[in-house]
Amino acid sequence: MTTFRPPLTKEDIRGVIPPLVSTFAADGTLDLALFRGELAFMEAAGVTLAVIGGSTGSGDELSADELAALIGEATRSGKIDIIAGIITTTTRDAILRGQKAKEAGARALMLGPPIYTTPSADGLDGFIRDVYEATGLPIIYYNHFFNPPSVMQRIADVPGVICLKEVALEPVAELFQTVGERVAIAAGADCVNIASFLFGAHASISGINTVIPKQYREIYAAHEAGDYRLGRELTEKIAPLAREMIKPENFPARVKYAINLQGREVGAPRKPSGDLAQQDQENIKAALRFAGLIA
């Protein structure tokens, strides 16, 4: 039975928030048994809030019904609260995905800008506002088109926005200083999360959190304790892996390869992703060994 809880607030966006992978069978259909295994791993690692359908979760490859199915699988246990990733092209489809995600138990939406198009400022603001009004779910706006802080500051005032996710490190400080009292600031700078927290980020939402959630929770704990020497040491240990994960080529395959090597079976990505180059495989193995995660 799906457990429904009230929408998230900006105060709920804290700590390490993994964007979960979507698990597929060999024929490309959803494999919910594999997904249940990954959910169990995340619960055991202490994860209480996660994204389904983000970039790491192949959100642009999922149908609205598939997104809802994954969310429903997660919310039936009620142990991890879910933010639904909305990656699409039109307002109409974003609303459909958001409504189905809400029905499945999502507590917020992580909404990126329309893919393959660049709307005007009014068009982008209207896109965010329309999705919020149609779904009633709060919005985490994901700046994956590298809009400057001035655009993000404007978006912070759009009704329904509770968080800005910034993928670059330097703007995190400016956003925290200028709009951090109105919205939460989430960082997506995988290699330098400890620096993002120091600059004021309230949370981290990045693919590396999914690969090694326990290690990134330890980095966040070091930040909360004010032990930045420990935080730096922990970061240096996993930095080579983080650098491998953020390379854009064959991104879903990179993440799943690193997870599978650690003994968590999450399947392969949907084609045409996959067929990771031999050099990439060796680099990821070496990074996992450096971090002490595989023999």
Side-chain angles (χ1 to χ4, degrees), residues 16 20 31 42 66 78 98 107 118-119 177 181 183 210 228 262:
V16 173
L20 305 184
D31 188 324
M42 290 292 170
E66 288 173 328
R107 297 185 65 196
T118 304
Q177 293 159 9
E181 290 187 358
V183 297
T210 304
Y228 288 99
Q262 295 178 78

Side-chain angles (χ1 to χ4, degrees), residues 157-262:
D157 288 328
V158 175
V161 174
I162 62 167
C163 175
L164 302 176
K165 177 185 171 181
E166 177 54 61
V167 295
L169 176 61
E170 187 173 348
V172 165
E174 182 176 347
L175 292 175
F176 176 75
Q177 293 159 9
T178 55
V179 297
E181 290 187 358
R182 300 202 300 277
V183 297
I185 307 300
D190 298 43
C191 300
V192 286
N193 272 350
I194 190 69
S196 300
F197 294 137
L198 180 60
F199 284 174
H202 302 93
S204 167
I205 306 174
S206 61
I208 189 65
N209 295 345
T210 304
V211 180
I212 47 173
K214 179 178 178 290
Q215 288 73 13
Y216 267 86
R217 281 171 52 80
E218 290 172 349
I219 290 171
Y220 183 71
H223 155 70
E224 286 199 306
D227 191 344
Y228 288 99
R229 179 174 180 175
L230 174 60
R232 187 177 69 247
E233 290 172 355
L234 293 171
T235 297
E236 288 170 355
K237 210 174 168 186
I238 53 81
L241 179 61
R243 286 193 286 270
E244 286 300 318
M245 293 301 99
I246 63 173
K247 292 178 180 178
E249 184 178 357
N250 226 347
F251 172 66
R254 290 176 178 279
V255 170
K256 289 191 170 181
Y257 185 73
I259 292 174
N260 286 326
L261 277 178
Q262 295 178 78

Side-chain angles (χ1 to χ4, degrees), residues 30-110:
L30 288 182
D31 188 324
L32 295 180
L34 288 182
F35 192 64
R36 285 191 290 272
E38 186 67 357
L39 287 170
F41 172 83
M42 290 292 170
E43 290 171 10
V47 172
T48 58
L49 180 61
V51 177
I52 292 177
S55 303
T56 306
S58 307
D60 57 315
E61 302 170 16
L62 298 173
S63 70
D65 287 335
E66 288 173 328
L67 176 64
L70 291 169
I71 293 169
E73 196 65 46
T75 55
R76 270 188 281 277
S77 73
K79 295 179 180 177
I80 298 179
D81 289 321
I82 298 301
I83 300 164
I86 306 295
I87 306 174
T88 187
T89 305
T90 66
T91 299
R92 179 183 179 184
D93 191 52
I95 288 172
L96 174 65
R97 289 167 179 265
Q99 290 172 335
K100 286 183 177 286
K102 182 179 182 178
E103 291 169 1
R107 297 185 65 196
L109 306 178
M110 186 170 75

